[in-house]
Structures are given as structure tokens and as C-alpha cells.
Amino acid sequence: MAYQYFGDVVTFDTTYRTNKYVMPFAPFTGVNHHMQSIQFGCALLQDETEVTFIWLFQTWLEAMGGRPPTSIITDQDLAMKGAIARVFPNTRHRLCLWHIKKKFVEKLSQVYYKKSKFKKDVKKCIWLTYKKEDFEERWMALMKENGLEGNEWLQQLYEIRDSWVPVYNRGTFFAGMNTTGRSEGVNSFFDAFVSSTTNLKEFVVKDDQALKRIVKRESDEDFESEHKFRIVKDNEFLLKHAAKVYTRNIFNKFKDEISEAFNYKVEEMTNADGFQSFVVKSKVNELQKFTVTLDSQTYEGMCECQNFEFVGILCRHILKVFVRLDIDAIPEHFILPRWRQKANKFRIIDSEGLVHDDGKEESEALRLSHMCQESTKLACLAAPSYESYKIYIEAMNDLSEKLLKISSYVPPPINVCHEKDDLHSTERTQVLLLDPNISQIKGRKKDVKGKDATTHSGRLKSGIELALNKKKRKCNLCKGIGHDKRTCPENPMSKANKALEAEAQSSDSDQEMT
């Protein structure tokens, strides 16, 4: 249900393996209207091959009503990339920028280190370029300046620049995300619920507990956002409007942008064909300038920085132009529904998007889900007044009578069997469920010793067996087993000896008193 409102951008990561069978935990993670991480489903995988990823993406897409996300962020995995290209051909696939920057340290340690000039220049080239031509020009200059034109890894990275450099992706909505950090944040969140000894049955229960915690966190923030007052001055009209429409966290981000707008100045360039163009320059750095184009009537338009397209919140440059034009309210087309208060109020699956001529209407689970959500929508509409409540109840009673007439549902009879028959029946239908195999994960296999070595043997050992097989402690003083030198009875300084001496002294004093 959350995916219907917030499923436009998804992050996917398989690095988390906290379970008994080393199975990669693969969560589909998004961001809600409070900028909180939410989960759109997860899987435990047996391996990380392209075939497995294709199955996973197809199954997940069907569960989400068949609507693919607008954009997806993953790490640099060829099998994952191939599967996404097949299952989500129209989805913008982007690589995690953090994972790529991490490789700079490994591959270019001679020039990319703390406080190095090359590191600062690369950072500016990646983050502070707003035109593709500017990025390419700066990149080439950097390579030439540092003698890296022949570096094979950098050449390969440059060839796939459209999949990781921000300037190539700012025209697509990513909710401001550049990394898979939200997936990894969900992974660390699950650490409070699961461990390396968690089996599959326990994992399902723990996963449900974690999801309930995520939903509760969203509900708590819904309450805070709806009832906590934002402190805004009377003459700050744009902020007052933002406080009414946005959630608390999005309002704070909007407030930061409008505060930065005062560091810029506006120059009008042209006014032709109903469009106005402005140049917004920084008061601190004259070289930093952006072109803003707006429709004179509707105020539709865009800024060169593409912050609205990428994050969904108006940038400081457009806001500066709005201040110049005395616009007191945010135009409706610049307010994304996913950032509004109560954006998750109905959470309704669109009936047109759910039921097509593809056989999905034959699924009882999808029909039930759709009907429950439609009923919830009607109940929310009827609840505010007693009159609408009565209409709703009467309609539901009429509907119940009609459905009972055509329903063929008959309660199943209680099956009473003799003990002997029941025993044979159990023997015939009993299914033996075995543990899954240890997953074959990517990367170098580490040498496993001690307790974890049992997961790579033919049979998994129980906790009792592991405890019994532990090497017993041996004393260096008396060579006995089960204690060490500090607690050895033969050690005059040991705690046991001191306790015996104290007991002997107390008994002697008792005898003297008697």
C-alpha cells in the first residue's frame, strides 16, 4: 500500500547476511513523506546470479501491482544490472555513488588521500557541475593535470558516467538520494531484531516485528507533523503556505532553501513568447550563476540546477525569483503529493492499475486487498458526519444480503476421525521440511574457524552441542580442568583459598567464644 504513494524511487542492496544460512537479505527500500526509510518487501536469496535477480524482481513487481519504479539505486553488480534491464526496462538505474567513491581510495591511493588537491578537485567536479559539458571538460583537465589519461579503471568509470555522476541524473526524481545508504540503514535497523543464529522461522517473526516498528515510527511522525506548530513570521508568506501543505521534515528542508535564497541576487534577461528568463547569481561567488525560466501566467518552469526534478522541493534560485515577483504561495504544480501532510491517508491501489486483462483479477488475494482498501476509503469519507455514517451502514447491510444470496461459502465440517485413522493420515500427509543450503555468496571466501565452522560442515550443530564441544579451561598450576590459575585451590592467593581461610578463621573464633 505504501508503494502506491512512495514507490517512485527504490534502493536495493544485498550486502546484509545476518542469518543462520548466510543468505543475502535483499530489502526494497524507499522514502516516505517524512523522509523516513520504509520497506516495500524483502527476500532471502540462495545466490546472487542474474537468474535469481530476474525471478526476484518479477515476483516483487507482481506483488506491487505491476507498476515499476521511476528510478532505482543499486551497487555496481553486473548480474543485478542485467536483471534490472530485463525486468525494469523503463526504470532509471543508477549506481551508488558512495561505493564508487570508496574505490577511488583503493585504486588511486597515490593521488587520492586525505586533504589532497586531487581529492578536492574530484569532489568539485562530481558535485558542483550542473551541465554535462562542464563535467566532461573538468574531468579531462583533471586527468591531464595528474597524468591519469592512461588509467584503465578511470577510463571505464568515465564510459559509464551517466549511471553515477549526479549531473546526468538530476533530471530524474530520486528524492534527493545518491547512494544505497537507506538500504544499509534498514540493514543496521534489523540488527536489533536478528543475528547470525536466526533461522528462517524466527526471521519471519522478527521481520514482522521490525516492520511494525517502522509503521509505528511513521504514525508517530504523522502525529507530530499534523499537531506541532511551525514558528513562522507573519510576513513570510511562502513559508506560511509551506507549513500548511508539507510535512514537518519537508518543511524544514524548504525553509533551508528559502534561507539560502537571500545569498543570491536576480537579473532579468529576456521576456518573450510568454516566458521570462532570469539569471540568479551568488553574492559570494559571482561565477556561480543559474538560469531560471518561468511561464509568465502559470509560473511553470525550471531552474538550471534541476533541484525540483531531483528532490521534489523548490530550489533557492526559483524561490529568489518568486520573492522578486511577489509570489506569496507555492504554485500547485511545484507541490509533489508525496511530500504533503496525510499523503498516506488512503493508500488505495488504483483499480485501473490493479485489474487489467492479464488474469490478475482472477487472484483472490488481489481482489481481497483491493476490496479492503476501497471499503477503507468509503469509511473515511463517511466517518465525519452521522448522516453519511448511516448511509454507509445501510448500504453495507444491503450489500451483505446480496452477497449472502449468491455466495457459495459453506463452513467446513469438523473432521472427527478415529485415533488409528488419524495416525495413518498424519503419516501419509506429513512433509519433512529441511534447512536450506548455505548460500554461495560473492567475494573471497574467508577462513572459518571455531563456532562458525559448523555452518560449513555437513550438518548444523545445535547450541547444546556447541557448548559441550567447547575446549575446557586448563589450570597452569595444578594442570586440572575447569578452572585457571587465579581460582586454583592450590594457589595461596586465589579467591577460593582466601574464602577457605576466612571460613577457617571464623570457625576458630566461634570455638574460642564457646
Side-chain angles (χ1 to χ4, degrees):
M1 290 188 291
Y3 181 81
Q4 304 309 311
Y5 282 93
F6 310 122
D8 40 14
V9 56
V10 173
T11 66
F12 181 75
D13 179 76
T14 59
T15 58
Y16 191 64
R17 296 185 178 91
T18 303
N19 57 79
K20 194 174 181 178
Y21 315 102
V22 204
M23 299 177 81
F25 175 61
F28 293 89
T29 309
V31 57
N32 66 8
H33 53 316
H34 301 296
M35 278 286 184
Q36 296 173 328
S37 296
I38 53 174
Q39 200 182 106
F40 302 133
C42 64
L44 289 170
L45 305 179
Q46 190 65 55
D47 54 51
E48 294 175 274
T49 61
E50 185 173 334
V51 174
T52 298
F53 283 129
I54 288 172
W55 167 84
L56 171 62
F57 294 149
Q58 288 176 341
T59 307
W60 176 76
L61 186 63
E62 182 181 353
M64 296 298 107
R67 182 170 66 89
T70 303
S71 52
I72 187 169
I73 306 175
T74 70
D75 59 3
Q76 199 171 356
D77 186 281
L78 290 176
M80 205 180 290
K81 181 181 178 181
I84 289 172
R86 283 191 59 179
V87 184
F88 307 127
N90 299 318
T91 297
R92 179 65 175 172
H93 179 208
R94 188 178 178 198
L95 302 179
C96 174
L97 189 55
W98 183 85
H99 284 97
I100 289 175
K101 285 174 65 181
K102 186 182 176 183
K103 290 181 181 177
F104 271 86
V105 182
E106 300 169 6
K107 305 280 186 179
L108 305 167
S109 57
Q110 71 278 14
V111 289
Y112 194 92
Y113 51 88
K114 190 176 181 181
K115 294 185 179 179
S116 69
K117 183 179 183 300
F118 178 74
K119 183 178 180 179
K120 292 178 181 176
D121 291 341
V122 166
K123 187 176 179 181
K124 289 178 182 178
C125 180
I126 293 172
W127 291 105
L128 299 179
T129 50
Y130 297 94
K131 292 180 181 178
K132 297 175 184 178
E133 301 79 20
D134 291 345
F135 170 80
E136 292 165 6
E137 187 180 331
R138 281 196 188 186
W139 180 273
M140 292 301 180
L142 269 174
M143 297 303 105
K144 187 175 181 180
E145 182 184 338
N146 294 275
L148 298 170
E149 301 99 318
N151 188 290
E152 188 178 343
W153 179 74
L154 285 172
Q155 288 176 358
Q156 293 174 351
L157 202 61
Y158 183 73
E159 288 172 4
I160 60 167
R161 60 190 179 278
D162 60 331
S163 65
W164 64 275
V165 180
V167 69
Y168 291 88
N169 296 281
R170 292 189 69 84
T172 306
F173 181 75
F174 277 92
M177 292 188 287
N178 292 289
T179 69
T180 57
R182 287 192 177 270
S183 290
E184 291 162 13
V186 168
N187 293 345
S188 62
F189 174 78
F190 270 79
D191 278 335
F193 298 89
V194 297
S195 67
S196 58
T197 60
T198 304
N199 62 34
L200 291 186
K201 181 181 176 183
E202 293 171 337
F203 197 97
V204 173
V205 176
K206 298 293 186 181
D207 178 71
D208 187 54
Q209 291 175 354
L211 289 179
K212 285 178 180 176
R213 181 76 63 84
I214 290 173
V215 172
K216 184 182 184 302
R217 186 177 60 183
E218 181 178 305
S219 299
D220 291 344
E221 189 56 43
D222 279 337
F223 181 85
E224 294 273 335
S225 186
E226 188 175 349
H227 296 287
K228 272 201 171 180
F229 183 73
R230 283 94 159 140
I231 300 173
V232 181
K233 294 180 181 177
D234 290 337
N235 60 345
E236 295 176 329
F237 300 108
L238 281 169
L239 274 179
K240 285 175 74 175
H241 185 218
K244 291 179 181 177
V245 296
Y246 287 137
T247 60
R248 191 166 61 107
N249 292 334
I250 301 301
F251 168 77
N252 289 334
K253 289 185 175 295
F254 182 89
K255 189 177 181 180
D256 292 340
E257 287 294 324
I258 206 167
S259 298
E260 288 292 330
F262 295 104
N263 296 325
Y264 290 82
K265 56 185 178 181
V266 182
E267 294 178 6
E268 188 170 353
M269 285 176 60
T270 58
N271 188 349
D273 299 327
F275 285 90
Q276 290 178 281
S277 294
F278 304 87
V279 175
V280 183
K281 293 182 179 180
S282 172
K283 293 179 181 178
V284 180
N285 182 6
E286 287 288 334
L287 296 175
Q288 195 180 75
K289 56 183 180 181
F290 300 88
T291 302
V292 175
T293 306
L294 291 177
D295 188 300
S296 303
Q297 301 297 321
T298 63
Y299 299 117
E300 291 185 38
M302 64 172 294
C303 176
E304 210 170 24
C305 75
Q306 294 185 302
N307 189 74
F308 178 75
E309 289 78 6
F310 184 68
V311 185
I313 302 171
L314 279 174
C315 65
R316 57 200 67 177
H317 316 115
I318 293 180
L319 289 172
K320 182 64 180 181
V321 173
F322 281 180
V323 172
R324 164 81 174 267
L325 298 176
D326 290 329
I327 297 174
D328 296 336
I330 306 167
E332 195 66 24
H333 51 265
F334 281 128
I335 303 173
L336 291 190
R338 65 160 4 263
W339 296 140
R340 285 179 176 269
Q341 295 183 46
K342 300 182 181 179
N344 59 345
K345 183 176 181 181
F346 291 122
R347 288 183 174 175
I348 302 302
I349 293 180
D350 182 15
S351 57
E352 294 179 3
L354 176 70
V355 182
H356 297 286
D357 294 329
D358 55 4
K360 285 184 181 176
E361 68 273 12
E362 298 300 325
S363 168
E364 182 180 348
L366 285 177
R367 290 199 302 268
L368 179 62
S369 176
H370 187 214
M371 288 187 292
C372 287
Q373 291 162 52
E374 288 295 332
S375 300
T376 303
K377 181 179 179 181
L378 290 174
C380 289
L381 292 173
S385 70
Y386 181 71
E387 185 179 353
S388 57
Y389 162 76
K390 284 177 64 179
I391 295 171
Y392 177 85
I393 295 298
E394 289 173 4
M396 290 294 285
N397 290 334
D398 293 340
L399 183 61
S400 296
E401 292 176 6
K402 291 178 182 178
L403 291 175
L404 285 172
K405 288 178 182 178
I406 63 170
S407 177
S408 59
Y409 174 76
V410 179
I414 298 173
N415 188 15
V416 181
C417 301
H418 294 291
E419 187 177 349
K420 185 178 179 181
D421 294 338
D422 188 48
L423 178 63
H424 287 300
S425 174
T426 305
E427 288 176 354
R428 285 195 302 269
T429 59
Q430 188 175 14
V431 179
L432 182 63
L433 295 178
L434 302 176
D435 285 332
N437 297 324
I438 302 301
S439 293
Q440 298 299 315
I441 58 177
K442 295 182 179 179
R444 181 178 68 83
K445 292 184 178 180
K446 296 181 180 179
D447 296 330
V448 184
K449 297 179 181 179
K451 180 180 175 181
D452 291 337
T454 57
T455 59
H456 292 356
S457 63
R459 182 179 66 84
L460 291 171
K461 294 184 179 181
S462 66
I464 296 174
E465 287 178 290
L466 291 171
L468 291 173
N469 289 339
K470 272 188 176 179
K471 286 186 178 180
K472 293 185 178 179
R473 186 177 292 172
K474 191 174 181 179
C475 177
N476 292 328
L477 187 65
C478 70
K479 306 302 179 183
I481 296 174
H483 64 271
D484 59 12
K485 185 178 178 180
R486 293 174 300 171
T487 57
C488 181
E490 295 183 11
N491 185 357
M493 299 303 294
S494 70
K495 292 181 180 179
N497 241 348
K498 288 180 180 178
L500 288 171
E501 288 177 7
E503 187 179 346
Q505 287 175 4
S506 63
S507 62
D508 290 342
S509 61
D510 288 343
Q511 287 176 1
E512 288 175 4
M513 288 177 68
T514 54

